[in-house]
Amino acid sequence: QVQLVESGGDLVQPGGSLRLSCAASGFTLEDYTIGWFRQAPGKEREGVSCITISDGATYYADSVKGRFGISRDNTKNTVYLQMNSLKPEDSAVYYCAANRGPAVKAMCVFILHDYEGQGTQVTVSS
């Protein structure tokens, strides 16, 4: 059974940091690109960052470039999203997703996914 389980969402003050985790099971991670999407109320879903498991290629949306970092631990089948210098506009539900193949930019730009988790809430507010 394929599962993507997100954790790490929380309420944080502007300028703060959070690390989201995505634990994957039930499929061969190396065959996939893993990404983080987010969606705020009334807004379209946005591809935040994606990483190809096989070679570590990454993509970041312009809105998070320089502040967020995506990484993977193949031994734990886990992908992380380190979020620094958080802003109120980063508040959203963050979803972990998996898309078969190595198209890291396409996955994030076109919100491609074969599997998706339930999401974790990130709220940035003072």
Side-chain angles (χ1 to χ4, degrees), residues 11-126:
L11 169 64
V12 64
Q13 292 188 344
S17 297
L18 281 176
R19 189 177 80 157
L20 304 183
S21 299
C22 172
S25 61
F27 62 99
T28 304
L29 210 60
E30 287 76 13
D31 294 338
Y32 286 77
T33 296
I34 306 296
W36 288 95
F37 306 148
R38 68 184 180 186
Q39 189 162 21
K43 294 190 176 181
E44 290 189 355
R45 187 163 291 197
E46 176 187 19
V48 175
S49 183
C50 295
I51 184 168
T52 302
I53 299 301
S54 58
D55 64 5
T58 59
Y59 172 85
Y60 295 94
D62 288 343
S63 58
V64 305
K65 216 171 276 185
R67 299 188 297 123
F68 289 14
I70 192 169
S71 61
R72 88 272 197 216
D73 185 337
N74 291 8
T75 65
K76 296 182 179 179
N77 283 354
T78 300
V79 172
Y80 304 98
L81 185 67
Q82 179 66 43
M83 305 187 295
N84 300 324
S85 302
L86 283 162
K87 305 174 182 180
E89 51 264 43
D90 294 318
S91 298
V93 177
Y94 283 70
Y95 299 90
C96 176
N99 191 62
R100 189 174 183 90
V104 62
K105 181 177 179 179
M107 179 182 180
C108 260
V109 172
F110 299 110
I111 318 296
L112 304 175
H113 61 282
D114 295 302
Y115 309 110
E116 189 176 75
Q118 294 298 308
T120 186
Q121 177 71 48
V122 172
T123 303
V124 184
S125 174
S126 55

